[in-house]
């Protein structure tokens, strides 16, 4: 699915990724975690082709992504900040993204799930932050791509929508998809993810199941295990 | 066919950017301003040729300013949406060209409709001034295209919004006001030397001066042409002068668009 080898990226003089290797070749939910500035966003943006790596190779579904844009048909992306052209209506925005991707979509089910019908003819600038995030989720989940990348998907959601989001993620996992998630909410991560990929100083520090992480750190819950992992010396 | 598909993605982005912008309040304000200006000039002045000269003076300063400000604000405001588009299966050049032509197109529409309506109502089609007026609109469209793409270039190269905005306004101030001052000063300072080619070059290098010369050449008002215009006329003759200044405007549009696309291809978002 995703194969990354020797990925290097510097912003100015500041190295963000230094020789990162990562292979994800099965379905499931992979949580990309790490302290602020550890390179999570840069890693995700490199996979999406938004950041151009200094060195190293990335391939998605066996296709190298360098100077390629068609591979993004295989990826659905939920960006961290939902901000859309203010004078477009919700309906028009959904139509635009469908128009651009030209793939089959099931937005109606998602619109009903998040109760967005009353907002379809409203301008995006009039929506609240949480409603915008729901639109964002509809845009990311309405296509049927084998790879999903969700950047802080829980931002601004009310409890009911959060439950729907978790259901959607479970549903996608059952459809044998690969899902990459970043989040700072450990309870959410513990609930939805199969594998933890922990980044530290631009490299993968730990990759394995939540259970393995707990055993390694000697902690009983994920939040403490994550907090402990960065401070304890590694034996791996 | 591949190229056809690429263009389609660009046209779609153009379409939705354009929809978004023509519904914004500022587009209406900009349109109404030209509408009002057109009516006032025509029906108070009662002279199409004089109205065109006054309009020229307004357009030559205002169009670049509005193009710059709209361009820079649109680029920064749509940062997150641009990121969402970058994650779609589309070429980068389609995204930025689509957005750019969306902005420039909606501004040009405000200009053409705002001035066109009063002129048509006044009876432009029966008047000889129709070519002068058309040239005025074409020049206005070029200035919109040029200054919007210059603003996009500045925004693309400056992550910091305040800096980008500052540079863009400075660019406008420089080309609209300061440049002429420097130009005049150097004409006075070096008056003992032959200055023909210098002033020709200096005019070509500023799209605002170029537009002014172009319109005045067409209107054929020697009194207003000034030194550069006179040199232009002497050097190229009216027709060739028109052609060359038009070509320069095209270059002023195409080169920054080329830079926009090539910088956008390599940039990290």
């Amino acid at each position: 699915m995703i194969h990354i080898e020797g990925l290097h990226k510097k912003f100015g003089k500041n190295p963000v990724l230094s020789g990162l290797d990562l292979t994800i070749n099965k379905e499931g939910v992979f949580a990309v975690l790490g302290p602020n500035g550890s390179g999570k966003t840069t890693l995700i943006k490199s996979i999406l082709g938004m950041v151009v790596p200094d060195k190293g190779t990335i391939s998605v579904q066996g296709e190298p992504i360098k100077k390629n844009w068609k591979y993004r048909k295989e990826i659905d992306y939920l960006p961290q900040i939902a901000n859309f052209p203010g004078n477009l209506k919700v309906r028009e925005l959904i139509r635009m993204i469908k128009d651009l991707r030209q793939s089959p979509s099931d937005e109606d089910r998602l619109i009903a799930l998040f109760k967005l019908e009353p907002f379809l003819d409203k301008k995006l600038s009039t929506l609240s932050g949480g409603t915008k995030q729901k639109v964002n989720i509809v845009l990311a989940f309405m296509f049927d791509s084998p790879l999903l990348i969700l950047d802080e998907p829980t931002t601004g959601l009310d409890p009911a929508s959060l439950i729907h989001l978790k259901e959607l993620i479970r549903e996608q996992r059952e459809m044998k998809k690969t899902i990459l998630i970043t989040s700072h909410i450990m309870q959410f991560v513990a609930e939805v993810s199969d594998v933890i990929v922990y980044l530290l100083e631009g490299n993968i520090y730990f990759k394995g199941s939540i259970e393995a992480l707990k055993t390694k750190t000697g902690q009983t819950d994920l939040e403490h295990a994550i907090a402990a992992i960065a401070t304890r010396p590694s034996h791996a | 066919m591949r190229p056809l598909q690429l263009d389609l993605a660009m046209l779609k982005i153009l379409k939705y950017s354009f929809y978004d912008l023509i519904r914004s309040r500022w587009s209406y304000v900009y349109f109404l301003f030209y509408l009002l200006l057109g009516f006032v000039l025509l029906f108070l002045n009662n002279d199409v040729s004089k109205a065109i000269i006054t309009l020229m003076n307004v357009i030559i300063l205002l169009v670049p300013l509005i193009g710059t400000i709209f361009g820079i604000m649109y680029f920064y405001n749509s940062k997150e949406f641009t990121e969402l588009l970058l994650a779609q299966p589309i070429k980068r050049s389609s995204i930025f060209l689509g957005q750019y032509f969306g902005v420039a197109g909606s501004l040009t529409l405000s200009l053409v409709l705002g001035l066109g309506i009063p002129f048509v109502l006044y009876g432009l089609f029966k008047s000889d001034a129709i070519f002068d007026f058309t040239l005025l609109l074409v020049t206005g469209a070029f200035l919109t295209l040029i200054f919007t793409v210059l603003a996009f270039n500045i925004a693309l190269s400056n992550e910091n919004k305040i800096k980008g905005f500052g540079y863009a306004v400075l660019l406008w101030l420089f080309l609209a006001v300061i440049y002429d001052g420097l130009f005049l000063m150097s004409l006075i300072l070096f008056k003992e030397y032959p200055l023909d080619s210098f002033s020709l070059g200096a005019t070509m290098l500023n799209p605002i001066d170029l537009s002014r010369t172009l319109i005045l050449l067409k209107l054929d008002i020697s009194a207003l042409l000034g030194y550069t215009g006179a040199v232009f006329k002497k050097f190229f003759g009216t027709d060739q002068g028109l052609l060359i200044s038009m070509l320069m405007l095209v270059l002023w549009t195409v080169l920054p668009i080329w830079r926009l696309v090539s910088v956008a291809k390599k940039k990290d978002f």
Side-chain angles (χ1 to χ4, degrees), chain A residues 124-139:
Chain A
L124 282 148
S125 59
T126 61
L127 303 188
S128 72
T131 313
K132 274 189 199 163
Q133 180 66 359
K134 290 182 200 170
V135 173
N136 204 9
I137 291 174
V138 171
L139 293 179

Side-chain angles (χ1 to χ4, degrees), chain A residues 43-66:
Chain A
L43 172 63
I44 283 180
K45 287 187 168 180
S46 303
I47 297 172
L48 286 162
M50 290 157 72
V51 165
V52 186
D54 300 330
K55 250 197 276 175
T57 54
I58 304 174
S59 45
V60 173
Q61 307 282 84
E63 245 185 293
I65 68 162
K66 205 177 175 187

Side-chain angles (χ1 to χ4, degrees), chain A residues 15-236:
Chain A
V16 179
L17 297 177
S18 33
L20 182 143
D21 299 309
L22 174 68
T23 303
I24 292 177
N25 50 15
K26 56 175 185 189
E27 72 269 6
V29 181
F30 294 78
V32 180
L33 307 179
N36 299 334
S38 58
K40 298 183 296 281
T41 304
T42 307
L43 172 63
I44 283 180
K45 287 187 168 180
S46 303
I47 297 172
L48 286 162
M50 290 157 72
V51 165
V52 186
D54 300 330
K55 250 197 276 175
T57 54
I58 304 174
S59 45
V60 173
Q61 307 282 84
E63 245 185 293
I65 68 162
K66 205 177 175 187
K67 299 203 165 146
N68 184 350
W69 50 273
K70 286 185 178 157
Y71 77 97
R72 288 198 284 266
K73 271 188 181 152
E74 314 292 330
I75 306 178
D76 291 331
Y77 171 55
L78 180 83
Q80 195 176 110
I81 302 167
N83 200 355
F84 307 112
N87 294 304
L88 287 186
K89 294 171 185 162
V90 175
R91 192 189 296 281
E92 289 168 331
L93 176 70
I94 293 175
R95 199 186 305 143
M96 174 184 186
I97 300 296
K98 277 172 66 179
D99 227 15
L100 285 170
R101 290 194 76 120
Q102 301 279 336
S103 317
S105 59
D106 68 338
E107 68 278 9
D108 293 336
R109 184 179 69 98
L110 295 165
I111 289 167
L113 184 68
F114 287 103
K115 301 194 172 52
L116 285 171
E117 293 96 341
F119 301 101
L120 284 179
D121 286 310
K122 294 238 160 69
K123 283 185 175 184
L124 282 148
S125 59
T126 61
L127 303 188
S128 72
T131 313
K132 274 189 199 163
Q133 180 66 359
K134 290 182 200 170
V135 173
N136 204 9
I137 291 174
V138 171
L139 293 179
F141 280 89
M142 67 184 182
F143 300 105
D144 187 23
S145 310
L147 181 59
L148 257 106
I149 296 180
L150 313 175
D151 199 354
E152 295 281 352
T154 57
T155 315
L157 290 183
D158 55 43
S161 309
L162 191 57
I163 291 173
H164 291 319
L165 174 69
K166 288 178 200 160
E167 280 165 8
L168 281 176
I169 293 174
R170 259 175 233 129
E171 191 185 286
Q172 300 290 319
R173 180 171 53 182
E174 274 154 31
M175 290 161 76
K176 305 283 178 214
K177 294 189 182 181
T178 303
I179 302 150
L180 251 61
I181 293 182
T182 71
S183 179
H184 285 293
I185 313 215
M186 285 309 123
Q187 197 200 343
F188 173 75
V189 171
E191 266 182 74
V192 299
S193 49
D194 304 309
V195 178
I196 304 284
V197 176
Y198 192 86
L199 293 189
L200 195 63
E201 286 163 8
N203 236 311
I204 306 231
Y205 190 78
F206 172 86
K207 182 176 171 234
S209 68
I210 296 180
E211 282 314 309
L213 180 66
K214 284 181 188 166
T215 321
K216 182 177 170 165
T217 51
Q219 299 286 337
T220 48
D221 75 300
L222 180 64
E223 192 153 29
H224 285 91
I226 290 292
I229 190 174
T231 48
R232 286 165 61 101
S234 161
H235 307 292

